[in-house]
Amino acid sequence: MEKILDDGYYDLIISNAVVPTYNTGDNITPLNEINSLLHLRKDSMEPCDLGEYPYHMFPALYTLESTICGNIPHMKAAQEVPEMGLGGRGVIIGIVDTGIDYQHPAFMYNDSTTRIISIWDQTKFGGTPPRGFTFGAEYTRDLLNFALISDDPLAMVPTVDEIGHGTAIASIIAGRPNEEIGFAGVTPEADMVVVKLKEAKRNLKTLFSVPEDALCFQESDIILGIRYVVGVAQRLNRPLVICLAVGSSQGGHDGKGPSSMYLDYLVELPKTSVVVSAGNEANNRRHYYNNTETGPFYNSFQLTVGTNDRKFFMEIWPYIPSRLFIEITAPTFESSQVMDPSINGSCQKLTFQTVRTEVWINNIFFEEETGEQLILLRFQNAAPGTWYFRIGSVSDEPFSFHCWLPSGNLISNETFFPDSDPNTTITAQGDATNPLTVAAYNQQNGEILPESGRGYTRLGQVKPDISAPGYRIPCAIPENRYGTITGTGAAAAHTAGVAAMVMEWAYSKGNYTAVTGNQVNRLLVREAKRTQDETFPNQIWGYGILDDDEVFRRLLDL
């Protein structure tokens, strides 16, 4: 078995600059121009492996950022766009998600051949991986077309989308119109390159106290998927729009994670655009913020833990120059000792005897990737009820900090901060600087979706960039069906379709062949619709509402 698939190995993200130090010949997987994976064998994996190896080396865990509904009471395409003879022709749409139902008519031409250039299914064993990769199976257009005319397509190309999320996202961007039910994608003439992500390794879930049955994906696999679609587009010399409808609440919410940095690099390249969802964490009460300006210099806050959330993690990110200690009290009022920060953030195990809960704490004074302090808490067999935390300054001075719980389905809504803050809930990779980060609003009443992630980033960068329709957006779902999808992932997909139309106008039609993704993104931001009663940019809407009409009027004026 390849080490990248073997649960006996950790996948650690390292800089390419140090690869020669670790390389033994078969323990390195290149990720991109910036980073590689080091596959580290551990015969006995323990929670305190995080501490022996730095926090930033472990890939973050990502969750889906839209919810599918199979019911279609009345389908009206929210993704209507101006008629300019632009359907995405010549543009490649990159989908890195749960896969795609390649047999769905939404992804075929009128002659029933596929519009999918290729699929990389990371979950398949024993197939032929793409060139330059070591696992999974690649299915090319020719193979897909042979499968579609066979009596048993799945015998030839056995890739399916069990979840349906990737199918839905791809169809919003590029689904073929179905006049009978009133469905149409934004760019029905675009081609697609699809990556089906494998689930995160069990050892990574265990390390971060995530339930084993929770659906999530690891950051390194997402980076590899992005590299794959970029490589296909570059070989074909065609413009590319990548849509990412997955996100994570791990990290400093500052755009410094490895995938965010990679996307920043890609968007500056010619004819490469990236659109990402802002996350759906604003109303989940999973973010807490405190700013203590006067003495006594400590802050106490509470966390309500639900009966079903026995395993979870929590991250506390103070601002420089704070040096903060932490003290934890269980629902039975059994308290821990005070834990001060240490340079290496060594792992400490606490056992609360009265509730039989174990908590692993890394109070890292200098988190290597950001240079910030990080307090990481990981709960095992967490007792339900109210937990109490006291955070204070070691040097008796003012301080402030953010605290986040996991995103998506990694924890239930029964676990929350009673005094939560809906701001600074943009998920990674929505905190990256150059990609277009999209919030979601209800196009039926004009209001922001309550769950739509809010900015700004922890360091004050304006995010989200823009808002787009994200409520019950018509979509294709597996088994030749149609439904609707809600969330910022759906809004990102709609926006990606508009970005693809701009790419077609600029590159495919020869109006501006030097176009970069960053320029496309700035055009969409510049022409956003802004109301008189709001100040823009703001933490909820970004620079305003995506205005397809105004974007294309501007193009006609150029």
Side-chain angles (χ1 to χ4, degrees):
M1 179 183 291
E2 291 288 338
K3 293 177 180 177
I4 198 168
L5 303 173
D6 191 337
D7 253 308
Y9 290 83
Y10 283 129
D11 299 330
L12 302 180
I13 298 176
I14 61 173
S15 168
N16 286 340
V18 299
V19 164
T21 304
Y22 295 101
N23 193 354
T24 61
D26 64 348
N27 66 334
I28 299 291
T29 295
L31 283 179
N32 52 31
E33 293 82 350
I34 308 167
N35 295 115
S36 290
L37 276 185
L38 167 65
H39 305 295
L40 182 73
R41 177 75 187 178
K42 288 282 289 187
D43 293 324
S44 177
M45 294 182 171
E46 302 291 342
C48 283
D49 291 340
L50 201 166
E52 181 180 354
Y53 304 99
Y55 166 87
H56 76 278
M57 294 180 75
F58 292 93
L61 294 169
Y62 279 67
T63 56
L64 303 177
E65 299 206 317
S66 289
T67 303
I68 296 172
C69 176
N71 298 323
I72 318 173
H74 175 67
M75 186 170 282
K76 180 180 183 298
Q79 53 267 48
E80 295 172 358
V81 293
E83 287 290 337
M84 279 190 63
L86 297 172
R89 182 170 299 178
V91 179
I92 294 174
I93 305 299
I95 304 294
V96 182
D97 210 285
T98 62
I100 193 167
D101 178 6
Y102 71 89
Q103 299 183 71
H104 201 293
F107 309 118
M108 299 180 191
Y109 291 110
N110 291 334
D111 64 359
S112 296
T113 58
T114 188
R115 292 170 48 222
I116 301 170
I117 294 172
S118 62
I119 301 172
W120 177 26
D121 188 335
Q122 295 183 349
T123 70
K124 291 300 177 188
F125 304 127
T128 303
R131 184 174 62 190
F133 298 85
T134 59
F135 68 101
E138 182 182 40
Y139 305 107
T140 63
R141 172 173 269 162
D142 287 345
L143 190 55
L144 290 167
N145 281 330
F146 276 123
L148 289 172
I149 62 175
S150 71
D151 294 333
D152 187 1
L154 291 179
M156 294 189 67
V157 178
T159 182
V160 295
D161 180 8
E162 300 90 346
I163 309 300
H165 191 267
T167 297
I169 294 299
S171 70
I172 293 171
I173 306 171
R176 189 178 75 174
N178 184 323
E179 296 180 0
E180 185 177 327
I181 62 170
F183 166 80
V186 178
T187 53
E189 297 178 6
D191 292 327
M192 287 154 280
V193 175
V194 179
V195 176
K196 179 179 179 178
L197 293 166
K198 68 179 181 67
E199 287 195 44
K201 279 187 173 181
R202 186 172 62 252
N203 64 40
L204 190 63
K205 291 183 181 182
T206 300
L207 189 76
F208 281 110
S209 293
V210 168
E212 189 172 323
D213 61 350
L215 177 66
C216 57
F217 311 96
Q218 66 184 61
E219 184 174 21
S220 51
D221 292 331
I222 296 171
I223 293 173
L224 288 170
I226 295 167
R227 188 185 114 203
Y228 171 74
V229 300
V230 169
V232 173
Q234 289 177 343
R235 285 197 300 273
L236 298 175
N237 194 28
R238 289 172 59 178
L240 171 68
V241 176
I242 301 172
C243 180
L244 295 170
V246 292
S248 175
S249 284
Q250 288 182 259
H253 290 67
D254 51 14
K256 294 182 179 180
S259 57
S260 295
M261 299 289 283
Y262 182 39
L263 296 182
D264 279 341
Y265 161 76
L266 290 177
V267 175
E268 296 287 1
L269 298 178
K271 59 181 185 294
T272 305
S273 181
V274 180
V275 180
V276 298
S277 50
N280 304 312
E281 298 300 318
N283 68 340
N284 284 340
R285 297 192 288 177
R286 299 178 184 177
H287 170 242
Y288 174 81
Y289 172 74
N290 170 259
N291 180 23
T292 297
E293 296 181 320
T294 59
F297 294 109
Y298 65 86
N299 171 254
S300 297
F301 65 96
Q302 300 174 11
L303 174 68
T304 298
V305 176
T307 55
N308 294 319
D309 294 314
R310 310 297 284 175
K311 298 173 65 175
F312 64 91
F313 64 88
M314 187 169 86
E315 295 186 1
I316 300 169
W317 288 85
Y319 284 99
I320 290 175
S322 304
R323 289 195 305 128
L324 304 185
F325 66 78
I326 183 169
E327 181 183 17
I328 305 172
T329 300
T332 55
F333 299 104
E334 177 186 358
S335 293
S336 72
Q337 72 269 29
V338 171
M339 284 151 290
D340 291 326
S342 62
I343 291 293
N344 61 3
S346 58
C347 176
Q348 301 178 65
K349 177 184 176 182
L350 300 177
T351 300
F352 291 86
Q353 301 289 349
T354 57
V355 290
R356 298 182 179 178
T357 296
E358 295 175 331
V359 183
W360 281 266
I361 300 179
N362 300 75
N363 191 345
I364 308 166
F365 174 61
F366 189 82
E367 196 281 312
E368 292 182 31
E369 186 173 67
T370 62
E372 312 267 2
Q373 184 180 357
L374 164 63
I375 305 174
L376 172 65
L377 310 178
R378 291 168 289 162
F379 288 76
Q380 293 275 4
N381 194 36
T386 301
W387 287 75
Y388 305 87
F389 303 88
R390 189 168 73 96
I391 303 280
S393 171
V394 172
S395 50
D396 202 34
E397 61 184 3
F399 65 90
S400 57
F401 65 90
H402 293 270
C403 183
W404 288 278
L405 293 168
S407 64
N409 61 310
L410 301 187
I411 198 170
S412 79
N413 287 336
E414 294 180 351
T415 298
F416 59 90
F417 297 112
D419 190 18
S420 62
D421 178 7
N423 297 315
T424 325
T425 49
I426 300 283
T427 52
Q429 301 131 343
D431 53 18
T433 301
N434 295 330
L436 192 71
T437 302
V438 184
Y441 73 94
N442 183 335
Q443 67 279 1
Q444 297 180 7
N445 61 19
E447 297 180 359
I448 201 75
L449 290 187
E451 64 265 35
S452 181
R454 299 187 181 189
Y456 298 134
T457 70
R458 185 173 64 91
L459 300 184
Q461 179 185 342
V462 174
K463 291 287 174 174
D465 294 297
I466 204 167
S467 305
Y471 179 71
R472 303 202 70 181
I473 303 296
C475 64
I477 55 178
E479 300 179 352
N480 292 349
R481 296 179 298 143
Y482 292 86
T484 61
I485 185 169
T486 296
T488 59
H494 174 88
T495 306
V498 177
M501 295 174 74
V502 177
M503 273 290 185
E504 179 188 6
W505 177 90
Y507 188 85
S508 301
K509 292 187 176 294
N511 289 299
Y512 181 46
T513 57
V515 64
T516 67
N518 194 43
Q519 291 167 339
V520 172
N521 296 346
R522 292 308 98 191
L523 173 66
L524 299 187
V525 167
R526 183 183 295 274
E527 304 307 325
K529 185 182 299 180
R530 290 174 272 274
T531 59
Q532 296 297 319
D533 57 346
E534 294 265 8
T535 300
F536 293 93
N538 61 53
Q539 295 166 296
I540 298 174
W541 298 90
Y543 285 92
I545 295 173
L546 176 67
D547 190 336
D548 308 337
D549 291 315
E550 193 60 34
V551 168
F552 294 108
R553 270 197 294 269
R554 179 66 62 191
L555 293 180
L556 290 174
D557 291 341
L558 295 178

